[in-house]
Each structure stands twice: as C-alpha cells, then as structure tokens.
Amino acid sequence: MMQAQLRCLCLLILHLATGYSHEGKFSGPLQPMTFSVFEGQQGSQVIFQFKASPPAMTFKLTGETDGIFQIQPDGLLYHNGALDRETRAVHKLQVSALNAQGATVQGPVPITIEVKDINDNRPTFLQLKYEGSVRQNSRPGKPFMYVNATDLDDPATPNGQLVYEIVIQLPKINNVMYFQINNKTGGISLTRHGALELDPTKNSNYNLVVSVKDMGGQNENSFSDSTSVDIMVKENIWKAPELLEIVENSTDPHPLKITQVQWNEPGAKYSLVDKEKLPRFPFTIDQEGNIYVTQPLDREEKDSYVFYAVAKDENGELLSIPLQIGVKVKDINDNPPTCPSAVTVFEVQENENIGSNIGTLTAHDRDEENTASTVLAYKIVDQIPAFPKEGLFLVQAYTGVFQLAKQSLKKQDTPQYNLTVQVSDKDFNTLCQVEIHVIDINDQIPIFEKSDYGNLTLAEDTAVGSTILTIQATDADEPLTGSSKILYRITQGDSEGRLGIDTDPQTNAGYVIIKKPLDFETVAVHNLVFQTENPEPLVHGVNYNSSSSATFKLIVTNVNEAPQFTQNIYQAKVREDVAIGTKVGNVTAKDPENLDISYSLKNNKRGWLKIDPVTGEIFTMAPMDREAESVYRVQVVATEVGGSSLSSVATFHLALSDVNDNPPRLATDHPHLFLCHPLQAPGSVIFEATDDDQQFFRGPRFTFSLGSKVLENDWEVKRINGSHAKLSTKHTNFEERVYSVPIHISDGGEPELKGTVSLPVTFCKCVEGSCFRPAGHQSGMPTVGMAVGILLTTFLVIGIILAVVFIRIKKNEGKDNVEIAQTLSFYELVTNEPKQLD
C-alpha cells in the first residue's frame, strides 16, 4: 500500500515537471480530450489526472495503448515508455469510469494522444550515385537532372525540411562553378559560366558531391547525407547552319526544304522570327525543325534574307539564344542589259586627233555584279550618216569607251552623228542609241572693228552708271558658243577700277560704263587700253595679237565740289555735369580742291555746344541736363573758304551720362489718401516716390523715414520695395481732418540726394468704403431758413386772396365777372401761377 502511494506521488511530481495538460489544466472530470506528447521520452510520464464522480470509483483504459499508455484506478493517465512518431503519430484511446461492481457508469470517452516530432532521423539520398548529361550552351538555371533525399521526420517541422548543396565540383577550372543546384528541389542546372564555357572537346565529364541537411540547414545539430553525381557534357546540336544559298526563280515544287535546326532534347516548340519585318516573309518551319522556302525568290527584288529560329519549352519559355539564319539568293542570268538613257550624247571637238577618247557608254545589268551574267560587250552596228566615210568611230568591246577611228572631224562636214550600239551579255542583246556632236574649236581670235576710239571729255561729277562709249569686236568662230563669245577688259589707264565694260550676249557689243565716281584731283586723263578674249581657251598655236586690243582717251574736267566729312555721324559721350569749356569731340572735313574749311554748328537749340571754326573741335558752352535731353544732336556744317562757298553737313551726337542731381519726390500729388474716421484699428496708406535721374538697372532703390521725430508716436513708415512705401498709424486717436505728414526720401545714388515731401492723409467719415465730404454753401443759393420764410409768405398771400374772393361772392354773387377776373389776375401776379375757376 505504501509503495502504491509512493508511486502515485512520484507520478504527480513528474506530471507537474513535464507539463502535459489540456488547456493549461492538469486534472479534471472525464471528458473527450487531446494531448500532445514529444516522442523519445524515457520513463513514466504523467499525462492527466481524471477525477471520479460518484457512483464512479475506478477508471479503465482501452484502445491503441501499444503497451505504453496506462491509467491508475484513481484516474491518473501516464505512459511508461518512449513514443515513436514514425511508428504511430496519433494514439486513439478510450477511458471508462467504473463503479464498485466494475460496471461502466461513464464512457468510454475518446482520448487522443498526438506524438510530437523530434529530429531523430537523418536524411538519406534515394541513390548512392546519380548520373546525368547536359548539352553545352544549355540555358542557365534550367534543371537537366534532379537528386532526391528523404527524411522520416515530420515534413511540416524544421526536422523534415531538407536543403541541398553542391560541396565539390571536379574539375573546378579557374575556381569557377559550372553547375548549381536548387536547394529545395534538388534540381541541377548550369550556371552562366557553365552555359558559356562547357566544351565536351576539352572536358566531357564532371563529378559533383552533393550534400543534404535537415533542419533547413540552419542548425549545427542537423543531420546530413551526401551523394556522388557524374555528369557527361554532350555536344550542343542547337547550332545555326552555314549561310544558305537558294537559286532564284526556282521551278521546283514549293515549299522546298532548305535546312534543319534541332534542339538538344525532344519536345521543343520551333518558330521563325523575321528580323527585317518584311511585308512578305517567304520562310516557314515545322515542329521537326525543318525550314522551308515557301515560294520562288527573285534576287533582283531582294538578294539576301536574315531571320531567327527559336526553340521554346512547353511553357513558352526560350530554351536558348535564337539562331540567326542567313540566306543568299543565288543569281541566274534572267535580265538583259539596259541602256543608261534613251540617247547618250557625246561631244567631240573638230580637229581632234585619231584615237582620242570621245566618251564612255556604261550599260547596266540587274543580275549579280562580278559574275558572267553581268559581263557586257559593246559593238557599233550602225553609223548615220556614213559621211565622209563609214567606221569613223570605234568602241572598246568591254569598257564602252568610244574613240575616233579614221580621221579628225569637221563641223562643216557633219555637225552630228547617230550611232546604234549593241550591248550583250551571255544570253541577251540590247541596242543603245548614241549621238556624237561635233563642236567648233576656238581657232579664231576676236578683232576690234577699229583700233582707236579717240578722245572723250567728261566732268568729274558724271553720274555713276552712265554709258560713255560703245566698242565692238567680232569673232569668226561658231556664234553663240564659248569660242565666239567676247569678253572685254581694261588693261591700262584705270588702276582704281572706276570704269567697267558690259558685253551684249547677242551682238558682242561692249558698253563702257562708269562704275565709281570720276575724280579730277586723282586722275585728270585716263589713257585706256581695251583687250578682248574668249571664255574658251584658244587652240594650240593661236594667240591674241594687236587686233584684239584698242585705245581710248578719257579726259576728266574739274567740278567745284563741296567739302567732304570723314564720316557722316560723329558720336561722343560725357557726364551731364562736365565743366563748361570741356572739349567733347572733333570733326574733320576735306575740300577736294584743297580750299580752307570753316566749321559751324546748326540746330544748336539749347546752346550747349560751340565749335572751333578752324580745327573742328567741339566744346561745351553751357550747363547740360540729361533729364532735359539724354542725347544732344546738332549738325556740323563745313564750308569752303573762297570759291563757291559750298558746304556739307554731318551730324554730331553727344550722349549724356547721368549724374545724380535730382532729389526724390512723390510720383503723384496723392490728394486722395484717406482713412475712415473714427479708426477701429491702426490703418495705413501706400504712396510712391520717383526722381528725374536715370534709374538703376533693377529699378529705383529709395529709402523712406519720417520727417520729424515728434511724429514717431503717431506714425511709422516702412519700405515696400524700391519705389513704394507704407505710412501707418500707431493708434486710433486721430481727429477728423487732413494731416500733412513730412516724409524723408533718399535715392541711394552717388552722391546720395534726399528730399522731404509732405504727404496729405485725410481722416473722414466713409460711405461704402469711400470718403464722404458734405457739399458746402454755394453763392446765389438761398439758405434753408430763407426758403422756409419764402414758402410761408406765399401760403399767407394765397390764403388772403381766397378769403377775399369768398367774401365778395357771398356779398354780391351777381356782380360782373370782370371783378373776378381782376382778382384772378392779381393772384397770378403774386404767385406767378395761372388759376382756373370751376
């Protein structure tokens, strides 16, 4: 009995130590319950203490006890051996409550024991050794094989979470890994280096050691296993074919297979991509990788094609880099030669030597260059006219160069020859037309019709552009050609280029024209020599001689001319406060006849300047003001002394730079500045300042202050910007009147100038935001008292008149109406209003 009690006490202590419970309770009534127990625990472990309720006296345990789970008669549930989750993860038990007679009074009640996992199993690979293969240049990251390991621990816990890793790669060239593994799936694939560098011709076999760890590889106590992986590298068959050649205009049935591409493994999906985005793409591919041309090709339309072959997996992902396919269209001779134009024109000068080149006929052929199909042969088959003989020309058979064959040509014989030329390739002939024009050669010199054109006297002021002489030469070469066109030039007597000669293109007449003004003082007599020549060079052995030149004397007479200034406008700049008598400029004029010159000023309206009549120096003679005129303009007159007293005029501009000589002032009178009286709060008014000096580049920069310190208790002034300020009251206790506030304004110039202005501010009653000013009494208008008196007097007179009228009517209704009329007339006289009686 003592041993049983001791055992129960030990179990209770163990129960408290292990902490198995249901919702934090270690004992309670019999009811369905679930318990979690870690596997692998040795010795007796208490799970729960069930309490009996009368008439129950003892408890009974049944179900999947596996000889491990037991219950004491007093309801203490425990296990006496280690549990193994991998053998049984969940134990289904039943507990019944029995009375004293052993009969069941409650239950059986289901009790669930969940065995919690511990890391007691190491992962193991399914194979001791794996073998696989991969094609060179396979896509990096796409697995080509897998390794697999298992772990009996719970996969829902870290105990069963496996991580793969490549620990050894042999060989490891340049310490570069060619292979990689997905640490969760065990999929082995190529790295980028492996995709680029694996080459079976250099190394076709690789060995990997792959490890697997449980606990997600994060615990130093995790279990691991390793395996060996042998990998064979195979040659990549996903290669672009060599440049393909397709004969143009093929008559074979289409589509026509031209090549094949193939992915390294079966199951790839093939397609073509047109690199050039052609409107008509004549190629296709089937799912065996066979590439076809779908129609005959024309090299002259397009001589080559470039497109890509693409391989994708079942998910539409690229298996590798697309292959570039190049196609060259092979030429056949299917095009005849073509002439460069409807008629090819050559020119040949008469008297050309035999064998001279005339020109080159270059025919074209659309077939492929530098092949037998485009080797062209030339042959003259007809000459019109055949005068003076046939065969005057020959053509080089393969170059198309034309030459004179038998004799020199004369334009007088035939000015033009028409040739028919046959151009042939190996299969076709074409006839081309050639015209050969015989052109005149320049073997005649121009000849003046007379050698001396005499004398001509002109005044030096003869107008520029005037034609002063017509000269004429003739040329016996063909008219209207470069050989007969005549150009005239002056070779002597006009070194300054005052004259020129224009040629009439139809008649070859030359017109001598004044191009620049004549000048008696420079050259009084021009002894001119005219020379003629042609634009085309003379033929060898022919030279210009004295017949191609003529003489002419031009005499220039003097004309008295006005002095000439060296420039039309003179300019100078000075400060506006420059001292009187300061030299501000200088003008210079020269008389063509070298007479003395006298200078004077004109339009000197303000009298600011004077000029030295002899030297042309200009001086100030009165104070100047930039604000009155910033640029002072006067005219300078140069008059020759003696002679005809001719004069000329130039302009002198004197720019005045500003000097700060104007104090600041108010921009306007500001008569309407007001504040509403009485003030509810301090108020303010804004005013603007200005001055007449030139403003700074960025505008004025005035500063403002009160003109009297006495006013500082009532007013303050603050600068808003360079031109505006704000005058504010400091309190509200002002009378209803006009205040004149003195303001100091400084312009910030050099020297700094200050001004004091009086700013009127009116305090007045306001109506709708505007100052209300009652109208004063106007002369000639009655006052209110006078108006009331006049009105009462008028009413009194009317009352008296009415009373008299009614009394008279009462006394003598039969009296003559004249009296009534008289009374009414009196009423109208008094009131100045007509009265009408009923």
Side-chain angles (χ1 to χ4, degrees):
M1 183 64 180
M2 182 63 71
Q3 291 178 347
Q5 291 178 348
L6 184 60
R7 178 180 177 85
C8 288
L9 180 60
C10 292
L11 288 174
L12 180 59
I13 294 172
L14 184 60
H15 171 70
L16 294 172
T18 56
Y20 297 126
S21 66
H22 180 78
E23 298 179 354
K25 298 178 179 179
F26 297 100
S27 63
L30 180 60
Q31 60 183 358
M33 303 182 76
T34 299
F35 301 96
S36 296
V37 181
F38 280 102
E39 67 173 332
Q41 295 183 358
Q42 300 295 329
S44 297
Q45 305 289 334
V46 174
I47 299 174
F48 197 76
Q49 173 70 63
F50 294 103
K51 293 183 179 181
S53 300
M57 299 294 292
T58 61
F59 294 90
K60 177 184 176 182
L61 180 65
T62 58
E64 299 171 346
T65 62
D66 293 345
I68 300 175
F69 295 97
Q70 294 183 12
I71 193 168
Q72 294 289 336
D74 61 356
L76 185 65
L77 177 65
Y78 65 96
H79 64 89
N80 57 10
L83 302 179
D84 185 7
R85 191 200 66 83
E86 288 71 37
T87 302
R88 190 188 297 275
V90 178
H91 291 262
K92 301 293 186 180
L93 307 178
Q94 295 84 36
V95 177
S96 301
L98 308 178
N99 60 17
Q101 290 75 31
T104 300
V105 296
Q106 184 180 358
V109 175
I111 303 299
T112 301
I113 305 296
E114 296 177 346
V115 182
K116 297 181 69 174
D117 185 51
I118 64 173
N119 190 25
D120 56 351
N121 293 279
R122 68 186 293 249
T124 57
F125 280 101
L126 300 182
Q127 299 176 213
L128 295 177
K129 187 175 184 179
Y130 289 84
E131 294 182 350
S133 63
V134 63
R135 295 279 184 182
Q136 67 178 135
N137 305 126
S138 292
R139 190 175 69 182
K142 182 175 178 60
F144 59 85
M145 67 176 296
Y146 288 85
V147 295
N148 299 100
T150 59
D151 192 314
L152 295 177
D153 290 320
D154 187 358
T157 68
N159 303 328
Q161 293 179 1
L162 304 183
V163 174
Y164 298 92
E165 180 184 9
I166 297 176
V167 294
I168 297 176
Q169 171 190 297
L170 295 175
K172 192 174 184 181
I173 302 170
N174 296 327
N175 202 32
V176 174
M177 292 296 293
Y178 290 158
F179 302 92
Q180 59 188 346
I181 190 169
N182 187 305
N183 63 358
K184 291 182 174 58
T185 66
I188 299 175
S189 61
L190 296 181
T191 64
R192 290 190 177 275
H193 288 289
L196 294 174
E197 298 176 18
L198 280 182
D199 186 350
T201 62
K202 296 180 180 179
N203 201 326
S204 61
N205 292 286
Y206 288 82
N207 177 258
L208 306 178
V209 175
V210 179
S211 72
V212 63
K213 292 182 179 180
D214 61 12
M215 301 295 289
Q218 302 299 316
N219 195 309
E220 61 182 5
N221 296 322
S222 59
F223 295 115
S224 65
D225 191 16
S226 62
T227 188
S228 176
V229 181
D230 290 334
I231 300 174
M232 177 182 292
V233 180
K234 297 180 179 181
E235 182 183 3
N236 178 27
I237 61 174
W238 179 247
K239 294 181 179 179
E242 298 292 332
L243 180 66
L244 304 174
E245 288 192 352
I246 301 176
V247 176
E248 68 171 329
N249 298 322
S250 172
T251 57
D252 293 336
H254 287 73
L256 182 64
K257 178 180 176 181
I258 56 176
T259 190
Q260 182 182 17
V261 294
Q262 190 174 1
W263 178 242
N264 295 311
E265 304 294 340
K269 307 296 182 184
Y270 299 104
S271 61
L272 298 182
V273 176
D274 176 17
K275 176 182 179 181
E276 301 170 291
K277 307 298 182 186
L278 299 173
R280 181 174 57 87
F281 183 60
F283 301 96
T284 186
I285 190 171
D286 63 20
Q287 291 312 304
E288 299 299 324
N290 296 312
I291 299 178
Y292 301 88
V293 60
T294 59
Q295 62 191 40
L297 305 179
D298 184 359
R299 193 203 68 84
E300 286 70 43
E301 178 182 326
K302 184 170 177 58
D303 61 359
S304 64
Y305 296 83
V306 177
F307 54 91
Y308 292 98
V310 178
K312 296 182 180 180
D313 61 16
E314 63 277 3
N315 298 319
E317 298 290 333
L318 285 175
L319 291 169
S320 184
I321 298 173
L323 302 180
Q324 180 170 299
I325 311 296
V327 175
K328 177 183 177 182
V329 184
K330 192 173 181 180
D331 185 53
I332 62 173
N333 190 24
D334 57 348
N335 291 280
T338 58
C339 303
S341 60
V343 178
T344 300
V345 178
F346 298 139
E347 291 184 342
V348 57
Q349 287 186 339
E350 58 181 353
N351 294 331
E352 281 281 359
N353 296 325
I354 295 175
S356 297
N357 288 348
I358 299 173
T360 302
L361 176 66
T362 304
H364 303 284
D365 194 309
R366 295 183 62 200
D367 291 316
E368 185 175 1
E369 295 181 359
N370 302 319
T371 66
S373 300
T374 53
V375 175
L376 304 181
Y378 299 86
K379 179 182 178 181
I380 298 174
V381 296
D382 192 20
Q383 170 191 314
I384 300 175
F387 179 83
K389 63 178 65 175
E390 292 184 355
L392 290 175
F393 308 94
L394 63 83
V395 62
Q396 298 292 335
Y398 292 103
T399 63
V401 175
F402 281 74
Q403 296 174 293
L404 280 176
K406 295 185 176 179
Q407 67 178 53
S408 298
L409 305 179
K410 291 291 186 180
K411 186 168 184 178
Q412 293 84 351
D413 293 339
T414 302
Q416 176 178 313
Y417 292 90
N418 298 313
L419 306 181
T420 301
V421 181
Q422 177 181 287
V423 184
S424 307
D425 63 17
K426 66 178 183 176
D427 297 311
F428 299 97
N429 296 323
T430 300
L431 296 179
C432 297
Q433 302 301 316
V434 175
E435 286 185 3
I436 298 179
H437 297 171
V438 181
I439 60 175
D440 183 45
I441 61 173
N442 192 15
D443 56 356
Q444 301 292 323
I445 63 172
I447 297 176
F448 271 104
E449 61 181 9
K450 56 183 178 180
S451 60
D452 187 358
Y453 282 88
N455 302 333
L456 179 64
T457 300
L458 293 175
E460 64 177 332
D461 62 352
T462 302
V464 172
S466 301
T467 300
I468 62 173
L469 179 67
T470 300
I471 57 179
Q472 182 72 59
T474 59
D475 193 302
D477 288 312
E478 181 181 1
L480 304 178
T481 66
S483 298
S484 62
K485 181 179 180 180
I486 297 177
L487 301 178
Y488 298 93
R489 60 190 179 93
I490 300 173
T491 59
Q492 295 180 28
D494 186 27
S495 59
E496 295 186 357
R498 298 181 184 275
L499 303 175
I501 306 176
D502 294 339
T503 302
D504 187 319
Q506 300 298 321
T507 65
N508 275 336
Y511 303 102
V512 182
I513 299 173
I514 298 176
K515 298 291 186 181
K516 296 179 181 179
L518 302 176
D519 187 4
F520 170 83
E521 289 74 22
T522 303
V523 180
V525 177
H526 294 269
N527 292 305
L528 302 173
V529 175
F530 302 133
Q531 179 69 44
T532 65
E533 57 186 26
N534 302 126
E536 287 288 338
L538 297 172
V539 298
H540 181 70
V542 178
N543 298 302
Y544 297 105
N545 54 36
S546 60
S547 299
S548 300
S549 62
T551 59
F552 172 65
K553 178 182 286 188
L554 175 62
I555 301 171
V556 180
T557 60
N558 187 35
V559 174
N560 189 20
E561 300 168 276
Q564 297 176 353
F565 280 98
T566 56
Q567 57 193 73
N568 294 325
I569 298 176
Y570 295 84
Q571 296 178 331
K573 183 176 182 180
V574 296
R575 288 167 53 98
E576 63 176 323
D577 63 347
V578 67
I580 296 175
T582 300
K583 178 182 176 181
V584 296
N586 190 83
V587 298
T588 303
K590 181 180 180 183
D591 184 72
E593 289 75 37
N594 292 322
L595 297 176
D596 292 336
I597 294 175
S598 175
Y599 298 97
S600 61
L601 295 182
K602 185 178 179 182
N603 293 331
N604 188 15
K605 298 178 180 179
R606 297 184 182 272
W608 288 352
L609 301 177
K610 65 179 179 179
I611 191 170
D612 187 308
V614 177
T615 65
E617 294 176 308
I618 300 175
F619 303 88
T620 61
M621 62 178 296
M624 296 182 290
D625 185 6
R626 189 202 67 84
E627 288 70 39
E629 197 161 355
S630 60
V631 179
Y632 191 53
R633 297 173 175 85
V634 297
Q635 289 181 320
V636 183
V637 181
T639 305
E640 62 182 15
V641 178
S644 301
S645 299
L646 296 178
S647 64
S648 58
V649 178
T651 304
F652 180 73
H653 293 176
L654 182 61
L656 301 180
S657 59
D658 187 49
V659 174
N660 194 29
D661 56 353
N662 290 278
R665 57 180 175 80
L666 291 176
T668 61
D669 292 338
H670 294 90
H672 303 300
L673 297 179
F674 70 91
L675 294 171
C676 294
H677 187 275
L679 288 177
Q680 302 300 318
S684 60
V685 294
I686 295 175
F687 61 94
E688 181 183 3
T690 186
D691 68 17
D692 297 320
D693 290 315
Q694 185 175 8
Q695 298 299 327
F696 295 100
F697 175 72
R698 294 186 178 180
R701 51 186 185 187
F702 296 117
T703 57
F704 306 86
S705 62
L706 286 174
S708 172
K709 290 188 176 181
V710 177
L711 301 176
E712 291 180 353
N713 294 328
D714 301 325
W715 304 89
E716 67 176 348
V717 62
K718 290 185 178 180
R719 183 174 183 265
I720 298 176
N721 54 34
S723 59
H724 289 74
K726 180 169 67 175
L727 177 66
S728 303
T729 65
K730 286 189 172 182
H731 56 79
T732 60
N733 189 22
F734 288 87
E735 298 178 2
E736 185 179 357
R737 64 181 180 87
V738 177
Y739 289 80
S740 293
V741 182
I743 304 293
H744 287 325
I745 306 176
S746 174
D747 63 6
E750 292 182 4
E752 185 176 42
L753 296 183
K754 295 182 179 180
T756 301
V757 299
S758 180
L759 187 67
V761 181
T762 301
F763 288 80
C764 59
K765 289 184 172 58
C766 293
V767 177
E768 296 182 352
S770 298
C771 187
F772 174 74
R773 297 180 176 88
H777 174 70
Q778 299 181 16
S779 61
M781 295 291 293
T783 65
V784 175
M786 293 175 63
V788 172
I790 292 171
L791 184 61
L792 291 177
T793 302
T794 302
F795 285 153
L796 179 62
V797 171
I798 292 173
I800 294 171
I801 293 172
L802 290 176
V804 171
V805 171
F806 282 121
I807 292 172
R808 297 293 297 270
I809 291 173
K810 282 279 189 180
K811 290 183 175 181
N812 192 6
E813 292 180 355
K815 282 188 177 182
D816 190 59
N817 290 333
V818 175
E819 294 180 1
I820 298 175
Q822 291 174 349
T823 303
L824 293 176
S825 297
F826 176 74
Y827 168 83
E828 292 173 355
L829 179 64
V830 174
T831 63
N832 199 29
E833 292 182 3
K835 179 65 178 178
Q836 184 175 355
L837 295 179
D838 293 334

